[in-house]
Amino acid sequence: MEQELPAKARPSDVIVRLAEDEAKSADCTVVGRAKNPKEQNSAVESYFQLMPHSVKERATVELLEQVMEEACYDTLRTKEQLGYTVSCGLRLTGGVLGFCINVVSASYGPEHIISRIE
């Protein structure tokens, strides 16, 4: 019979609420290195925190996703050939809506990918 993992041993999300003046200028970059030193790929996720979740706001972000999905793929993957995986979509974290753009590339490093996303 399996035993439940104690609460202290379970992974958890950390959510930090920034003051409004901090949030307006917040730019956070987290860099992690692959465990395999021979890894040649770069992966970037650009996350844009938008607003508290509500049905109306979620519909708005889902519409944004529908409008941006093809354009994002066409520009970053097809025209710029930035990476072999390019996607974008809605994210709901801790009751807050967000939007993310993901790129995985064997040809470009994170700095270049970030500059093209922006």
Side-chain angles (χ1 to χ4, degrees):
M1 182 159 93
E2 290 185 34
Q3 291 184 347
E4 188 173 314
L5 194 61
K8 290 181 182 178
R10 295 180 209 154
S12 64
D13 290 331
V14 177
I15 300 170
V16 177
R17 183 179 186 134
L18 299 175
E20 190 172 332
D21 59 328
E22 291 176 310
K24 288 179 182 175
S25 64
D27 183 14
C28 178
T29 302
V30 177
V31 177
R33 299 286 174 214
K35 291 180 181 180
N36 179 355
K38 295 180 181 179
E39 178 63 65
Q40 297 296 311
N41 293 304
S42 296
V44 171
E45 177 175 280
S46 288
Y47 171 74
F48 306 92
Q49 191 175 56
L50 301 174
M51 62 199 76
H53 179 262
S54 73
V55 173
K56 179 182 176 185
E57 302 301 350
R58 183 180 183 122
T60 301
V61 178
E62 286 181 355
L63 180 60
L64 172 69
E65 177 181 21
Q66 291 296 313
V67 170
M68 286 190 61
E69 189 173 29
E70 185 178 342
C72 179
Y73 187 87
D74 183 53
T75 300
L76 299 177
R77 171 69 178 95
T78 305
K79 292 178 181 167
E80 296 192 23
Q81 298 184 358
L82 196 57
Y84 58 86
T85 300
V86 173
S87 64
C88 67
L90 177 141
R91 173 81 56 82
L92 178 60
T93 307
V96 177
L97 288 167
F99 192 80
C100 61
I101 299 173
N102 299 291
V103 177
V104 179
S105 176
S107 304
Y108 297 99
E111 296 80 12
H112 180 74
I113 296 169
I114 291 168
S115 75
R116 299 311 305 143
I117 290 172
E118 291 176 349

